[in-house]
Amino acid sequence: MKLKKVRIKGYRSIIDTQEFDVSEDKIIFVGPNEAGKSALLQAIQYLNPPDETKQIDSLRDYPRAYYTDINTDKINPSTERVVEGEFSIDEFDRDFYLPNASENTTYALWRNLDNSEGHELRNYLNKPTYEDLKDDLADFTDLSGYHESTNLEELTANWEPSEIIEGKKAKYLIDWLEEAFDFLDKSDVEFSGYNDLKSKIEIGDRINRALEHLRKNVPVFVFYNNYYRVHPIIHLEQLANRINTGELNSELYDYGNKCLLNFLGFDAKELSEMGIPVELNSTDLTAFESYRKNKDRRQYMLNAAEVKLTKEIKQVWKPNQKKGEASKLRIRADGQYLKVTVEDDLGVEVELNQRSEGFQWLVSFFIVFFSEADGQNDNAILLLDEPGLSLHGLKQKEFRKTISRLAQKNQTFFTTHSPFLVGPDELDLVRVVEMKDRQEGTKVHTTITAKDFAALLPLQEALGYDLAQSLFTQKRNLVLEGLTDYWYLEGVSRLLRDSKDVDLNEKIALVPAASAGKVVYFATILHAQDFKVAALLDSDSKGDQAAQQDTLVHTLKNKRILRTKDFLVNKINKAEIEDLLRETLAQIVKTEFKIDIINEVNNQPNRPIISIFKEKIPKFSKYHLAKAFIRWSRDYTASDMTEHERQQWKHLIETVNSILK
């Protein structure tokens, strides 16, 4: 069974979500703080919570502003549905329990404010009433030759027309009908209606049997938030006493520890008693064998749990053996103490709480999940509140794969603020949660829309991150200050390629960084992915500042930080990339902008050409100049550049090819 639709009313910040659809694998709830995401998951859990889950408390859980509705009997807690879910029905269940049911037939389950529950079938036959059957029953009272031993009028004397025919009432009618069967004229046309009438009478009980079966097979809803942790050292006897008295201590992570013991297959009392020393008579072999068997059983079960947890965690954590990262979990029992440790590749063991917050969270998550599902892993729905909050972004990406893997068997709903937990191909799985005001309460949008910018922020970040990742795919990258630098290098390299002077390696990606100050960020990101990276910076003050950043120097080393002045035949102070094309750009300005400054350029060979352009050209734009060069390059060849321009660019391209080979 899969949950298809949900509606929540009157629970904490939720006034009425209205009905919203969910997918059959996973759903991602995004939204700002205080929007009601956690309350949403907690309410959904009440559809079928694990044993010992705290019940709905109308005093604390019903929206405070409307609590007087309860005292004034405006609402009845026994009929006020807090959460209602609609489930799909498996094909086998439809065929076996619900003949003639269609794929649209669903099972609805709800929990009321007083913790009572109700259920029904939808898009299926209704239970018949006495009124529905009255005319058909009357046909059998007038059959020739039939002298009924039980009078129908007496049998149904106290029945209301709206009386549902099920249980004892259905049995009475079936017995009465079967008596009539022997008196029927088998050739009579009414005989053909016998089976139809009997089937109608049985519909109510058939629906009840189906409902009983479906209720037993509703998935367990396992809720997990970041407050559940496992303590690395547990005193078994003390924990057993707290469990026995019902005084679990949240500061000692008793709930997480109890889940650990459930996962191991022991209760605290049993494991505690195993740790009590036993004095054995050397001649009492039977007692010794029993003692040894219990000790071995405990160790084997602990070992099996170690293996299972280690396997699951490795799929997410992916430990770096070279760095000696945690690779194995160890669970040790010594007398009254149970200890959880982590072993690295050197065999060194340290307590779980000495590892990172992210690693502790991951271990605790799997322990609580395996425990609460209680052997029903294939029939549990997971409700995860802010999963992986303490995991690094890249670990969150790996955990996203784990969620998808769990969702193949276990329908999974989770809340998040993190863009790393929302895949670019998962936008159809996103439900935006927002609360515009307390009067309206929490709302759930099934389309990606919300008036609150903060609600959509994780989606925008996720798409931005994915877009950035898609840009950084080449193994060799030359980071440039901006888009105009990209146009110049792309245009000139094409001209020199056509003229057979030099060919810029086609495997080198040209990456514009938008400004000199951002070059270091782009270079660092690319370098972190083990790509080959170089940077080309102008020789002006901004380029000097960027080139001297310790991070950039450390990342690329000096030989991969290229400066435009190093490729000029005639040295120019504060040279920019345009100075590698001085004569050509002066000619383009004359043609495109109708301004002749060729003499000024020739008479000031050591002055940056951009400085001259800004002085002589009103509202000068580097962008418009670069666009004009691109147009020029389509109509001209490398031979139309000056000789020393070709030499400068050839030197630059050969250097780039060399350091990024």
Side-chain angles (χ1 to χ4, degrees):
M1 298 175 68
K2 299 287 188 180
L3 187 61
K4 293 182 62 177
K5 298 178 181 180
V6 180
R7 182 180 182 180
I8 302 168
K9 285 182 61 181
Y11 185 79
R12 300 191 179 182
S13 66
I14 302 170
I15 308 303
D16 189 350
T17 63
Q18 301 299 325
E19 187 177 78
F20 60 91
D21 296 331
V22 296
S23 74
E24 64 178 17
D25 47 13
K26 71 178 180 180
I27 285 295
I28 308 167
F29 293 107
V30 303
N33 292 329
E34 300 297 317
K37 300 188 300 299
S38 297
L40 200 70
L41 294 188
Q42 289 167 351
I44 292 174
Q45 186 187 30
Y46 285 119
L47 282 171
N48 193 32
D51 294 338
E52 300 181 9
T53 299
K54 186 179 178 181
Q55 291 192 327
I56 299 173
D57 183 345
S58 60
L59 176 64
R60 303 191 182 282
D61 293 329
Y62 195 73
R64 193 65 52 83
Y66 299 93
Y67 187 73
T68 54
D69 291 348
I70 298 176
N71 291 335
T72 58
D73 296 328
K74 187 175 181 180
I75 68 162
N76 183 351
S78 65
T79 59
E80 183 71 9
R81 299 180 185 182
V82 172
V83 57
E84 181 176 339
E86 190 172 316
F87 297 82
S88 61
I89 301 176
D90 298 338
E91 184 177 357
F92 173 81
D93 290 337
R94 286 202 308 270
D95 293 344
F96 191 80
Y97 288 95
L98 299 168
N100 303 319
S102 70
E103 291 185 358
N104 293 326
T105 300
T106 57
Y107 171 73
L109 173 67
W110 58 85
R111 187 165 299 276
N112 298 316
L113 187 58
D114 69 344
N115 291 285
S116 62
E117 64 176 46
H119 58 178
E120 67 183 9
L121 290 173
R122 292 179 179 169
N123 300 316
Y124 190 61
L125 303 172
N126 294 321
K127 293 181 180 180
T129 63
Y130 179 48
E131 182 70 24
D132 296 331
L133 301 176
K134 201 170 184 179
D135 291 342
D136 292 332
L137 289 167
D139 291 340
F140 283 86
T141 64
D142 301 329
L143 296 178
S144 175
Y146 173 46
H147 302 286
E148 54 183 328
S149 60
T150 304
N151 185 280
L152 181 63
E153 290 185 1
E154 292 179 1
L155 182 68
T156 61
N158 297 321
W159 292 10
E160 296 292 334
S162 60
E163 201 87 48
I164 298 295
I165 303 304
E166 59 185 353
K168 290 183 178 180
K169 289 183 173 59
K171 186 177 186 308
Y172 292 155
L173 291 182
I174 292 294
D175 290 345
W176 177 87
L177 190 63
E178 288 178 346
E179 286 184 29
F181 181 79
D182 294 333
F183 294 91
L184 291 178
D185 180 355
K186 305 305 186 285
S187 63
D188 196 299
V189 66
E190 271 123 357
F191 174 71
S192 63
Y194 170 81
N195 287 330
D196 289 340
L197 179 53
K198 184 177 181 182
S199 179
K200 288 180 182 178
I201 296 172
E202 292 175 337
I203 286 174
D205 286 339
R206 186 191 311 150
I207 289 175
N208 288 337
R209 287 193 297 272
L211 287 171
E212 183 180 358
H213 168 77
L214 293 171
R215 181 62 187 91
K216 289 179 180 178
N217 285 276
V218 172
V220 175
F221 286 73
V222 179
F223 176 76
Y224 184 86
N225 66 21
N226 292 301
Y227 300 107
Y228 299 153
R229 288 294 178 90
V230 174
H231 199 275
I233 301 176
I234 304 170
H235 191 282
L236 297 169
E237 184 179 9
Q238 293 177 0
L239 176 60
N241 290 336
R242 290 196 296 272
I243 292 174
N244 185 52
T245 59
E247 298 176 354
L248 296 182
N249 190 323
S250 60
E251 294 182 1
L252 297 176
Y253 300 112
D254 278 352
Y255 183 79
N257 295 338
K258 182 181 176 184
C259 287
L260 173 60
L261 296 179
N262 291 341
F263 172 63
L264 297 176
F266 296 101
D267 61 38
K269 186 173 184 298
E270 180 184 11
L271 203 57
S272 171
E273 290 174 350
M274 285 183 176
I276 298 174
V278 178
E279 292 186 10
L280 297 174
N281 191 312
S282 60
T283 60
D284 190 352
L285 297 180
T286 301
F288 176 77
E289 183 63 24
S290 177
Y291 174 74
R292 186 180 67 85
K293 185 176 181 179
N294 282 337
K295 296 282 283 188
D296 287 347
R297 174 172 169 263
R298 178 173 72 171
Q299 186 54 48
Y300 294 161
M301 293 185 73
L302 295 181
N303 184 244
E306 292 173 348
V307 173
K308 185 174 184 179
L309 280 174
T310 297
K311 179 182 177 183
E312 293 292 337
I313 289 165
K314 275 188 173 182
Q315 292 191 50
V316 179
W317 197 253
K318 297 186 184 303
N320 188 328
Q321 302 294 342
K322 294 180 179 179
K323 296 181 179 180
E325 290 187 353
S327 59
K328 295 180 182 178
L329 278 176
R330 296 297 187 201
I331 304 175
R332 301 280 188 261
D334 183 9
Q336 287 300 315
Y337 287 94
L338 186 72
K339 184 162 68 171
V340 182
T341 62
V342 184
E343 180 183 307
D344 61 23
D345 62 324
L346 297 177
V348 176
E349 294 185 29
V350 297
E351 282 77 10
L352 177 62
N353 63 349
Q354 294 184 31
R355 306 301 305 193
S356 68
E357 281 289 313
F359 189 81
Q360 291 181 59
W361 181 90
L362 202 60
V363 172
S364 300
F365 164 75
F366 281 115
I367 286 174
V368 173
F369 164 60
F370 288 129
S371 170
E372 286 201 332
D374 191 24
Q376 304 177 63
N377 293 355
D378 292 341
N379 196 35
I381 292 179
L382 305 183
L383 307 170
L384 311 180
D385 193 17
E386 292 291 346
L389 196 62
S390 53
L391 294 175
H392 183 276
L394 295 180
K395 299 291 187 185
Q396 288 182 358
K397 283 186 64 180
E398 293 298 330
F399 189 67
R400 188 175 79 209
K401 298 176 185 176
T402 296
I403 294 176
S404 296
R405 181 168 54 83
L406 291 173
Q408 292 175 3
K409 291 185 177 181
N410 306 96
Q411 201 172 3
T412 302
F413 305 155
F414 69 94
T415 65
T416 189
H417 296 133
S418 171
F420 297 101
L421 289 178
V422 183
D425 57 344
E426 296 178 337
L427 297 186
D428 60 318
L429 305 178
V430 170
R431 300 292 180 267
V432 179
V433 182
E434 70 171 345
M435 182 168 55
K436 291 184 291 186
D437 56 63
R438 290 281 173 181
Q439 190 76 17
E440 186 174 346
T442 297
K443 294 294 183 182
V444 179
H445 301 282
T446 54
T447 56
I448 302 176
T449 179
K451 295 182 180 179
D452 188 345
F453 168 77
L456 298 178
L457 185 60
L459 302 182
Q460 294 175 326
E461 291 177 340
L463 291 173
Y465 178 80
D466 186 68
L467 177 61
Q469 291 296 103
S470 67
L471 295 174
F472 303 146
T473 58
Q474 293 292 89
K475 297 294 184 182
R476 300 173 178 84
N477 298 270
L478 178 65
V479 183
L480 307 169
E481 285 191 20
L483 186 60
T484 56
D485 298 52
Y486 171 84
W487 286 341
Y488 285 123
L489 188 52
E490 180 71 16
V492 173
S493 65
R494 185 176 66 251
L495 293 175
L496 296 179
R497 182 185 302 116
D498 293 342
S499 66
K500 310 296 184 184
D501 283 315
V502 68
D503 187 3
L504 179 65
N505 188 343
E506 63 180 8
K507 293 183 179 180
I508 296 175
L510 304 180
V511 183
S515 70
K518 293 181 180 178
V519 168
V520 63
Y521 301 124
F522 280 72
T524 301
I525 292 172
L526 291 163
H527 180 74
Q529 299 181 66
D530 292 329
F531 293 162
K532 289 185 177 180
V533 188
L536 176 62
L537 297 169
D538 288 335
S539 299
D540 57 3
S541 58
K542 292 182 179 179
D544 289 341
Q545 186 177 2
Q548 293 169 8
Q549 289 189 56
D550 292 340
T551 302
L552 187 65
V553 174
H554 176 75
T555 300
L556 302 185
K557 312 303 181 188
N558 286 324
K559 72 173 185 177
R560 290 191 176 179
I561 302 176
L562 309 180
R563 309 300 304 280
T564 51
K565 66 180 182 181
D566 296 332
F567 302 98
L568 292 171
V569 174
N570 299 315
K571 300 303 179 184
I572 300 175
N573 187 33
K574 297 184 179 180
E576 299 182 49
I577 196 168
E578 289 85 355
D579 287 300
L580 296 170
L581 282 167
R582 289 175 68 87
E583 291 81 3
T584 296
L585 291 179
Q587 187 62 49
I588 290 173
V589 166
K590 180 179 179 180
T591 304
E592 291 284 332
F593 300 101
K594 310 304 180 184
I595 299 176
D596 187 355
I597 54 173
I598 294 177
N599 288 333
E600 282 87 345
V601 171
N602 292 334
N603 293 332
Q604 304 177 72
N606 301 118
R607 183 183 177 188
I609 193 172
I610 292 299
S611 175
I612 299 174
F613 288 160
K614 287 180 178 179
E615 181 182 296
K616 298 296 182 180
I617 302 174
K619 298 181 180 180
F620 170 73
S621 166
K622 294 181 70 172
Y623 175 84
H624 290 153
L625 178 63
K627 290 288 286 184
F629 170 75
I630 291 297
R631 292 193 295 271
W632 179 90
S633 67
R634 294 176 186 145
D635 300 325
Y636 293 86
T637 66
S639 61
D640 295 302
M641 298 166 58
T642 66
E643 178 62 28
H644 76 266
E645 283 178 339
R646 290 198 302 274
Q647 290 178 7
Q648 290 170 166
W649 281 97
K650 182 179 178 180
H651 182 200
L652 171 60
I653 291 173
E654 287 175 342
T655 302
V656 171
N657 285 342
S658 176
I659 63 177
L660 292 176
K661 64 182 179 180

